[in-house]
Amino acid sequence: QAAVSIPVVRAYVDRLAAGEIAPAIKVADGIIVEGNHRYVAGRLFGLEPAQTPGVLPRFKAGLPNVRWESMFLDPMDWGNLYPS
């Protein structure tokens, strides 16, 4: 994923600070396939989420990995929080 939403990351950090535990992120061959916002929030908070095996979508196969320093921090709120 080439971008994350700053407001979504902030909301995840707030939930971690309130004592919630984020659902596991899905990882395939070292690539996050679901849970980029949870991962970033966990890194910022100092508590990375658990990982579970995922499947790399066919449309992403062969695409270059996005390095963290190249990730776009979008100020728009994407509003995709995990359920309570």
Side-chain angles (χ1 to χ4, degrees), residues 1 3 18-20 23 25 28 34 41 46 54 59-60 62 64 68 81-82:
Q1 184 167 318
E20 291 187 38
I25 62 172
E34 182 184 304
F59 72 90
K60 288 187 178 182
W68 289 109
L81 293 178
Y82 59 89

Side-chain angles (χ1 to χ4, degrees), residues 10-84:
R10 174 59 190 251
Y12 282 134
V13 169
D14 290 346
R15 291 177 83 160
L16 291 171
E20 291 187 38
I21 298 174
I25 62 172
K26 293 184 180 179
V27 179
D29 298 323
I31 298 170
I32 299 171
V33 294
E34 182 184 304
N36 289 293
H37 289 89
R38 294 188 303 259
Y39 179 77
V40 172
R43 293 290 304 261
L44 291 171
F45 191 73
L47 183 64
E48 291 185 33
Q51 295 182 16
T52 188
V55 176
L56 188 63
R58 189 177 281 187
F59 72 90
K60 288 187 178 182
L63 293 177
N65 292 336
V66 177
R67 300 189 53 80
W68 289 109
E69 60 271 8
S70 301
M71 185 169 290
F72 176 66
L73 303 175
D74 191 343
M76 296 285 292
D77 188 348
W78 299 357
N80 58 338
L81 293 178
Y82 59 89
S84 300

